[in-house]
Amino acid sequence: MQICPSCRQSLPEINRFCTRCGQRLAGSAPHSSTSPPSAPPATPDQLNLNVLYGMVGMLILIVLFPPWETPPTQSPEFLGIHFFLSPPTPDAIVSRMLLTIELTTVTIGGLYAAFFFRRR
């Protein structure tokens, strides 16, 4: 147990501040003498930048080469990346829904992978 220097209330050792008056307790200083002096400072984990760069590259490719659909007058057909070899029909339209799904999926997957393969 520790005693508050202001109001003399008895408090558990885990408290940093007095629950009655709010005074900072003596043993709770940020660099208290109870911590080992040779302990290295904790560094936060860093996200894997290679994965993030790959994700950004994929996002750029998706924006440059969006998914296509047949025009509304024809029966629905997803043309996908078929236009790499031959362009889609002249009336084909960019599928905004599929583009949004691709961008969201790549972004979430890339951020998750960057976190999963982070450097410790």
Side-chain angles (χ1 to χ4, degrees), residues 10 13 17 27-28 34-35 42 61 66 74 84 87 94 100 102 105 107-108 110 113-114 117 119:
S10 179
E13 291 291 326
F17 298 93
S28 65
T34 59
S35 65
L61 287 175
Q74 295 178 4
F84 278 134
V94 172
T100 303
E102 283 182 0
T105 304
T107 302
I108 291 172
F117 295 112
R119 298 199 174 117

Side-chain angles (χ1 to χ4, degrees), residues 24-32:
R24 182 182 263 290
L25 301 176
S28 65
H31 300 291
S32 74

Side-chain angles (χ1 to χ4, degrees), residues 22-111:
Q23 174 73 31
R24 182 182 263 290
L25 301 176
S28 65
H31 300 291
S32 74
S33 61
T34 59
S35 65
S38 64
T43 57
D45 296 341
Q46 292 182 349
L47 295 179
N48 192 330
L49 290 179
N50 292 335
V51 173
L52 290 177
Y53 292 146
M55 176 191 71
V56 170
M58 288 179 64
L59 291 173
I60 291 171
L61 287 175
I62 289 171
V63 170
L64 292 177
F65 304 109
W68 292 83
E69 290 181 25
T70 55
T73 57
Q74 295 178 4
S75 60
E77 180 185 351
F78 172 61
L79 300 174
I81 56 174
H82 171 70
F83 70 94
F84 278 134
L85 302 176
S86 62
T89 60
D91 295 337
I93 57 173
V94 172
S95 175
R96 291 184 181 172
M97 180 184 70
L98 292 175
L99 180 63
T100 303
I101 291 170
E102 283 182 0
L103 291 173
T104 305
T105 304
V106 169
T107 302
I108 291 172
L111 291 174

